[in-house]
Structure formats: C-alpha cells, structure tokens
Amino acid sequence: MVTRKEVAELAGVSEATVSRVFNGLGPMKEETKQRVLEAAKTLNYHPNAIAQSFARRRSGNLGVVLPYVPKVHLFSTYYFSEVLSGIGAKVKEMGYDLLLMFRSQDEESDYNDVFRSQKVDACIILGAADTPRERQQLKKLEEGGHPFCLVNQHFTGERFNEVDADHTAGSYSAVKHLLEKGYSRVAFLNGSSQFSNSGDRRQGYIQAMREAGMEPENLAHLYYEGNYSRTSGYRAAAAVYERRREIDAVFAANDRMAIGLMQGLRELGWEAGRDVAVIGCDNSDAARVTDPPLTSVAVPFYEMGSLAAQRLLEQVNGEPGGFQLKLDTELIIRQSCRKA
Amino acid sequence: MVTRKEVAELAGVSEATVSRVFNGLGPMKEETKQRVLEAAKTLNYHPNAIAQSFARRRSGNLGVVLPYVPKVHLFSTYYFSEVLSGIGAKVKEMGYDLLLMFRSQDEESDYNDVFRSQKVDACIILGAADTPRERQQLKKLEEGGHPFCLVNQHFTGERFNEVDADHTAGSYSAVKHLLEKGYSRVAFLNGSSQFSNSGDRRQGYIQAMREAGMEPENLAHLYYEGNYSRTSGYRAAAAVYERRREIDAVFAANDRMAIGLMQGLRELGWEAGRDVAVIGCDNSDAARVTDPPLTSVAVPFYEMGSLAAQRLLEQVNGEPGGFQLKLDTELIIRQSCRKA
DNA sequence: GTGAAAGCGCTAACAA
DNA sequence: TTGTTAGCGCTTTCAC
C-alpha cells in the first residue's frame, strides 16, 4: 500500500501538505500542488478511505435499513427496487457509499444499533410501520441525535424527516375516475393498516365516495383488507365475488393485490375490464403485462428515494432544518377499468 | 462516544483486556470478563467499527458491483433483485456488511477503483459481460490480488471465482419439452451475445434441436436476437409472425422478452398457448401473472447470490482454493406452452 | 504557504 | 492471565 508518507517524501514536502492537496484545503502554491499530484501519480497513491473515516469520524456511508419480511425476497417488490435505485444514484452523485442493512426478526435490535458501529453517517428507513414499538424506536433514534429519514411512511404528530407520496390524492383520483366512468359501487381492497399510506388511501377513497353521495358508514360492505401480497388479493376475490351484485368496480391499494384479485375473479368467471373494473396502485412493471393491462396510480418511488438521500445528506453536511415532503401521484389509465 | 478506555477504567483493567473480552481472544478469567462486560453495559459501550477496520486493515464490508445500465431502474429486474437478496442474507449471517457500488458509464474507471479506497474486502460483480475490455479489467483485478466473484457469468479460459447456473441444461430441457409435446418448429429468441449465458442457452437449444434431427446450419431462420428487454421481445413478435408458417413455438432467453413477445403476437392475432407455444427463462414473478401464465426455466438466483457471498467470504478468511460453481435449473410448466 | 505533532479508537506483539 | 506499547494512515491545530 502506498501511503501519504511516501508521496510526501517523493514530492519533498510534509505529509500535511499532501493531505491539503488531496482535500483541496488552505492556500498552497500551485507548483507545490503539482509536485504532490505528480508524486502521487507515479506512486499510484490513493487515500485510504477507512483511515480518512477514522480520522474524520465520519464513515462517508449512507445506510439503508430494510425491514424484516419473512419468506419474501425483498427486492422483488417494485417499491423497494425503485426506491433503492433512486437512493443509489443520488448517493453516488454526492460522493457517498451505500450500506445496506437488513433488519432481523430479533425483537431486541433497535435502530440505534444501526449507528452504534459508526459505519453510517445517516440512514434511510424503508418499510417502517406505524406501531407503538416502531414509534418508540424512532423517537429514541431522534433523541440519540442520529439523522434519519423515512420513505413512503408518515408519522402523524412527529417531525421526523419524511419523503412520502400523496396517496390520498392518488386514491381519490382513481376512485373519482371510476365514478366518472359510471361505476358507482366501488369496493376498496386495502393493505395492512399499520402503514400510514393504507390510511391515506382509505381517506382518498372515502372522500371520493362521499362526494358521490355515499356516506362512509354505508361503505362497510365495500371494504376489504389484504396485506399487499398477491395471494391476499387472490383470496379477496372470493369475498368480492360473493357480493358481486353490490359491486361493479374494485380499487386495490397496490398492484400485486389487484393482480391477484383479477386472477381470482377470472377463475370465478368474472373478467376485469368486462364484468368489473379494477384499479391498482404503484404502476409497477407488472401492471403493463397483465391481461387486461392494469390501470394504476403511479407513485414516483425512484424520485422519492433520490430526494430522501439528497435532503438527508445535505442535512448531515450542515444544511439546517428537517423536511416532510409529499410527492404527487398520477393515474395511469389502461384497460382494466374500461367500461364494459 | 464511549471508548474502550472508559470501560477499562470502570472495570479496573487495561484497555487490552477490554479488547480481548470483546474479541473473545486469549484465555481470561471468567470474573474479569464479567466485570468488563458489566462495565461496558453500564456505560453502553460499543466498539467503533471504523476504528476496528482501521486497526485490522479490513473493512468488514463485501462490495456488490452493479453494472451501468442506462435508463433502467436496475433493481426492478428479477435477476438483480434475487441475487442481491441472497447475498444480503448470507453477508449478514457472516457478520459482514454490504456495500453497494454502482458502476458509472465512465470508461476510465476500472474494477481496481473499487478496492483502492479499501472500503471492501472483496466484491461480487453482477452483470459482467464477456467483452475484451471487461476481461482485461478482471485480469487486472486478479493480478492486484483482489478477491472477487462473478455471478451468472462464465469466462471460458479463466479461473475466476464464479457462481453460474446451468443455462445450457435449462434451455435444453425447455426445448426438449416443446419437442416432446409435438412442436417441431421451435424458434429461439436469444439475448445479447456478450453474456455467456446467452451462448449457453443457444447451445442447449441447438443440442435439443439436433437430437430432433434439425441440423444447426438449418436453424438460421429460427434464430432471433433481442437484448433481454420486454421491448425487444415485443419487437421480435413482428419478425416471428412474418415466419408464422415456419414456426410453432418460441423459446425466449428470459421472461421479459417472452412477455413482450406474447404481447406483440397477441396484437397480431397470435395467442400464446393457442396458436403458438412460448417458454421463457428466469421464472420471475411476472411469469405467474401473465395471460396465459408463462412456462419458464427457473434459475436459483437467490441461492447463487448466497453461495457466491459465502464462498467468497470464506476465501477472504483464508479458505484455500477458488471456485467455479454451476447450479441446476428447473423447468416450470404453465399454460403458455400447452398444446393447442 | 508549509511543517511539526497530537491525536482518532483499536489491534496485536511482546512482556510480565 | 493480564498489562504495556507500538503502530494503523489520516486530519487538524498550531506554530513558523
């Protein structure tokens, strides 16, 4: 390994000067600088990042915390893939590295562990749920003075750094679209209520339905709950089909459930886009390849990841103030909701 | 920050003893150990990973190098998602952390850059292509004495660490299946030839066809090449349809192309599973949700990632010998290739 | 503008 | 079984 010392010797300067040159600090004679750079080049010197981290007491890494999801190959979900891509691009742009941290099932471990080893300067938390335990852990993180940011999850009452999407507006526009097309008995297949965006979507749904003259208290028979998996959508199909005389459209809280639902309904003889309208959320790749293609609420996951990384790293670098961002969604219309 | 020194003082031992306790090294009196552990607990001491890395001259990180793919949200592809999940699980199990490294378009950067900063002890390279430039860079990496492993790519003539799948056998079984079902004019939609697995699949295809009495030299009109994207499959549909009287089945080198192909053919009035049989590769999630569901060659990407990480880290930890592994594939039969 | 020198928190070789 | 000590390669303060 080539050290700073050797470069200093070859260039005939002190080690401190070599550091200055490489960090672009302080005033220095152009000639000295060139001499150092040349020496570094001939020796093929490159600063040791770990030693730098050690001395600076900064790792130069951004951590991304992934939730523990049993028996699920995590990345295979559109949401994680996109968010991670967005984070990765921005992190690189800003000269950081990206450390992936997988949470374990282990009830013991709390978020502070992530920082304890000092391997990351900040972290983005994905897939957080709004449970008492989670809230408490995040508060502890905050108290510990550790910079972090949540993506696609909002904690009402807290001022955590967040980058979310406007799921309420997205759901509203989807249901509104159905109502405008003439559907009136719109069922809602929601995901787990522990995620804030489930609640948001529910609100958007209720708002649109109310504007169409349906009071929330009369909507119970139109409300179904899955867990965002394709299987849960598939299972919901039976229940929906049971009430087929009271339902002419279904809005699902994500594409996976919407797809499972369409499959299940088809097996029962009910075709999406013919016998019933279906809309999903995420506008994942899968929405394009189903039959019929799935109308879906597009969520800018990539941008959300990118923004979260950017704002968080800026904060780490001294930018003052927290942030709570909410990006727009967009309804992408395909054939699954065409009027029969 | 709580340092080792404070723990040592509180426990009434030397700093070295604290280190020993935390590293489980050397013989020590149980009582001393307990005293140290207790002191550490009261002070809430946790070793500083960066300082450890610095002193050990080991980062404790495994790097995963992702290829530069313009305009593609990388993780959204089944292959990367699965491999990465497998790596992540194993890396965690072995006490390492996972550093994601995105290659840039930049022609300058070579693989050695990845190691220069000393931020990783070894790396897994995904999406490598067999081009002269790539080969040369990998050789330089090897010469530099940097431990690395390739996944899903084989470099004939080299002894790089590799974890591959038996794509030849997988393709053979797919084509064989078609032939046994009575299809005889099986076209092949391959991906970019710069990936070794494209060549492997081609071989499997040719072998099966030859056994059915078709000589390779007569197969040219049955051979199509895309670039593994859905769009390229979609575009291939037109060409395939042109020759529809000479084709009764298509084997595609991945699911995305197969799906694009089915869509394209459908628009031309040709239904997969009715007018033509289609088989894909990867057995991705998407294969389950298309209409008709897509028969596909399952590749154990998750296991490949996991194995690559394990063997590579073992090697870093002194296990002797390189490795070239090849895992089995399996044909998953669905309706896209049923006999009309 | 540049150099000298004091850390940073830990590991590991050696001594006791 | 435990303590002492010399680094690890760099940043940063202070002095010149």
Side-chain angles (χ1 to χ4, degrees):
Chain A
M1 160 175 292
V2 186
T3 67
R4 197 182 50 153
K5 192 174 177 181
E6 304 168 50
V7 177
E9 275 165 13
L10 180 58
V13 298
S14 74
E15 298 184 40
T17 298
V18 177
S19 277
R20 284 197 199 92
V21 169
F22 273 83
N23 294 315
L25 288 178
M28 47 193 156
K29 249 196 351 229
E30 180 63 22
E31 191 229 311
T32 317
K33 183 177 165 184
Q34 290 309 326
R35 205 142 34 86
V36 168
L37 254 23
E38 206 172 314
K41 193 159 190 182
T42 41
L43 294 176
N44 191 29
Y45 166 78
H46 293 268
N48 180 320
I50 299 228
Q52 284 180 319
S53 296
F54 180 53
R56 289 190 184 126
R57 266 151 309 227
R58 287 240 208 153
S59 67
N61 295 150
L62 172 68
V64 174
V65 180
L66 301 169
Y68 176 79
V69 190
K71 291 209 248 171
V72 167
H73 293 181
L74 196 62
F75 295 102
S76 301
T77 70
Y78 187 75
Y79 156 67
F80 287 112
S81 305
E82 287 294 300
V83 173
L84 215 43
S85 296
I87 295 173
K90 182 58 73 179
V91 153
K92 174 161 198 184
E93 183 189 321
M94 297 182 72
Y96 276 75
D97 282 300
L98 205 174
L99 204 67
L100 241 42
M101 337 193 65
F102 299 80
R103 293 194 75 183
S104 56
Q105 193 168 18
D106 190 358
E107 285 290 314
E108 306 297 310
S109 84
D110 74 272
Y111 284 128
N112 279 293
D113 294 344
V114 162
F115 284 96
R116 265 202 240 299
S117 68
Q118 318 267 40
K119 271 201 161 184
V120 300
D121 299 335
C123 77
I124 291 179
I125 298 173
L126 301 186
D130 192 350
T131 62
R133 190 162 165 277
E134 196 88 28
R135 265 187 190 252
Q136 187 205 332
Q137 293 200 356
L138 290 171
K139 275 208 197 117
K140 270 171 60 186
L141 239 195
E142 198 178 33
E143 285 160 17
H146 295 304
F148 67 95
C149 172
L150 299 153
V151 172
N152 203 35
Q153 169 74 20
H154 171 69
F155 283 84
T156 309
E158 309 290 345
R159 298 282 296 168
F160 299 146
N161 290 323
E162 295 172 347
V163 176
D164 203 353
D166 194 340
H167 296 290
T168 302
S171 300
Y172 175 82
S173 71
V175 177
K176 193 81 178 170
H177 178 77
L178 290 169
L179 295 169
E180 281 170 355
K181 285 200 95 168
Y183 297 100
S184 58
R185 292 157 296 157
V186 183
F188 178 36
L189 174 54
N190 203 357
S192 337
S193 58
Q194 54 179 323
F195 300 108
S196 65
N197 47 65
S198 302
D200 295 346
R201 293 203 190 86
R202 185 169 208 275
Q203 247 193 282
Y205 166 75
I206 288 178
Q207 191 187 331
M209 291 298 272
R210 172 179 276 145
E211 286 180 16
M214 323 267 294
E215 285 313 308
E217 50 272 30
N218 302 326
L219 260 33
H221 66 290
L222 293 173
Y223 188 78
Y224 298 85
E225 189 170 314
N227 63 7
Y228 287 123
S229 73
R230 190 175 61 87
T231 316
S232 71
Y234 182 83
R235 274 196 298 262
V240 167
Y241 188 72
E242 283 267 307
R243 292 191 173 268
R244 63 188 170 284
R245 269 177 303 273
E246 304 160 66
I247 292 174
D248 58 6
V250 184
F251 170 55
N254 78 346
D255 287 349
R256 291 167 84 93
M257 288 197 297
I259 288 169
L261 178 79
M262 291 199 295
Q263 289 189 317
L265 289 177
R266 163 170 292 160
E267 290 176 12
L268 296 165
W270 240 31
E271 285 282 339
R274 186 190 72 191
D275 309 312
V276 60
V278 174
I279 294 187
C281 280
D282 286 357
N283 190 35
S284 58
D285 292 338
R288 253 178 297 268
V289 307
T290 52
D291 175 63
L294 180 64
T295 293
S296 187
V297 178
V299 181
F301 291 125
Y302 183 92
E303 287 71 22
M304 289 163 73
S306 170
L307 250 173
Q310 180 177 351
R311 299 295 296 269
L312 188 57
L313 290 178
E314 283 171 359
Q315 196 177 83
V316 165
N317 293 315
E319 209 92 349
F323 52 93
Q324 274 90 32
L325 308 177
K326 192 178 273 188
L327 306 197
D328 284 338
T329 59
E330 185 191 357
L331 184 66
I332 307 295
I333 296 169
R334 301 201 181 82
Q335 283 85 59
S336 67
C337 68
R338 79 186 146 208
K339 191 66 189 167
Chain B
M1 161 176 290
V2 187
T3 68
R4 198 181 49 152
K5 192 175 175 180
E6 305 168 51
V7 177
E9 275 165 11
L10 180 57
V13 299
S14 73
E15 297 186 40
T17 299
V18 177
S19 278
R20 283 196 200 93
V21 170
F22 273 83
N23 293 314
L25 288 177
M28 47 194 158
K29 230 161 61 192
E30 180 62 23
E31 191 229 310
T32 316
K33 181 176 164 186
Q34 290 311 327
R35 204 141 34 87
V36 168
L37 254 22
E38 205 171 314
K41 193 158 189 184
T42 41
L43 294 176
N44 192 27
Y45 164 79
H46 293 269
N48 181 320
I50 300 228
Q52 283 180 320
S53 295
F54 180 53
R56 288 191 186 124
R57 268 154 308 243
R58 294 257 218 126
S59 67
N61 294 151
L62 172 67
V64 174
V65 179
L66 301 170
Y68 176 78
V69 190
K71 291 207 253 172
V72 167
H73 292 182
L74 196 64
F75 295 102
S76 300
T77 71
Y78 187 75
Y79 157 67
F80 287 111
S81 306
E82 287 294 300
V83 173
L84 215 43
S85 296
I87 295 172
K90 181 60 74 178
V91 153
K92 175 159 197 187
E93 182 188 320
M94 295 180 72
Y96 276 75
D97 282 300
L98 206 174
L99 204 68
L100 243 42
M101 336 194 64
F102 298 81
R103 293 194 75 182
S104 58
Q105 193 167 18
D106 188 359
E107 286 290 313
E108 306 296 309
S109 84
D110 73 90
Y111 284 128
N112 278 294
D113 293 346
V114 163
F115 284 96
R116 264 203 242 298
S117 68
Q118 318 268 38
K119 272 201 161 185
V120 300
D121 300 333
C123 77
I124 290 178
I125 297 174
L126 301 186
D130 192 349
T131 62
R133 187 159 169 278
E134 195 86 28
R135 263 184 192 254
Q136 188 205 329
Q137 292 201 357
L138 290 172
K139 273 204 198 124
K140 269 170 62 185
L141 240 195
E142 198 178 32
E143 284 159 16
H146 295 306
F148 67 93
C149 173
L150 299 153
V151 172
N152 203 35
Q153 170 75 18
H154 170 70
F155 284 84
T156 308
E158 309 290 345
R159 299 280 297 165
F160 299 147
N161 291 323
E162 296 172 347
V163 176
D164 203 354
D166 194 340
H167 296 291
T168 303
S171 301
Y172 175 81
S173 71
V175 178
K176 192 80 177 173
H177 178 78
L178 290 169
L179 295 169
E180 282 170 355
K181 284 198 96 168
Y183 297 100
S184 58
R185 292 157 296 157
V186 182
F188 178 36
L189 173 54
N190 203 357
S192 336
S193 59
Q194 54 179 324
F195 300 108
S196 66
N197 47 65
S198 301
D200 294 345
R201 292 202 190 86
R202 185 168 207 277
Q203 246 192 286
Y205 166 74
I206 287 178
Q207 190 187 332
M209 292 298 272
R210 172 178 276 146
E211 286 180 16
M214 323 265 297
E215 284 313 307
E217 50 271 30
N218 302 325
L219 258 35
H221 67 287
L222 293 174
Y223 188 79
Y224 298 85
E225 189 170 315
N227 63 6
Y228 286 123
S229 73
R230 190 175 61 89
T231 315
S232 71
Y234 182 84
R235 274 195 299 263
V240 167
Y241 188 72
E242 283 268 306
R243 293 191 173 269
R244 62 189 171 284
R245 271 178 301 275
E246 304 160 67
I247 292 174
D248 58 6
V250 185
F251 170 55
N254 78 346
D255 287 349
R256 292 166 83 94
M257 289 197 297
I259 288 169
L261 178 80
M262 291 198 295
Q263 288 189 318
L265 290 177
R266 163 173 292 161
E267 289 176 12
L268 296 165
W270 239 32
E271 285 282 340
R274 187 190 70 189
D275 310 312
V276 59
V278 174
I279 295 187
C281 279
D282 286 358
N283 189 36
S284 59
D285 291 338
R288 252 179 296 266
V289 307
T290 54
D291 176 62
L294 179 64
T295 294
S296 187
V297 177
V299 181
F301 291 125
Y302 184 92
E303 287 71 22
M304 289 163 73
S306 169
L307 250 172
Q310 180 177 353
R311 298 295 295 268
L312 187 56
L313 290 178
E314 284 172 357
Q315 196 177 83
V316 165
N317 293 315
E319 209 92 347
F323 52 92
Q324 275 90 32
L325 308 178
K326 191 178 273 188
L327 306 197
D328 285 337
T329 59
E330 185 191 357
L331 184 66
I332 307 296
I333 298 169
R334 300 199 181 82
Q335 283 85 60
S336 67
C337 68
R338 79 187 146 206
K339 192 64 187 166

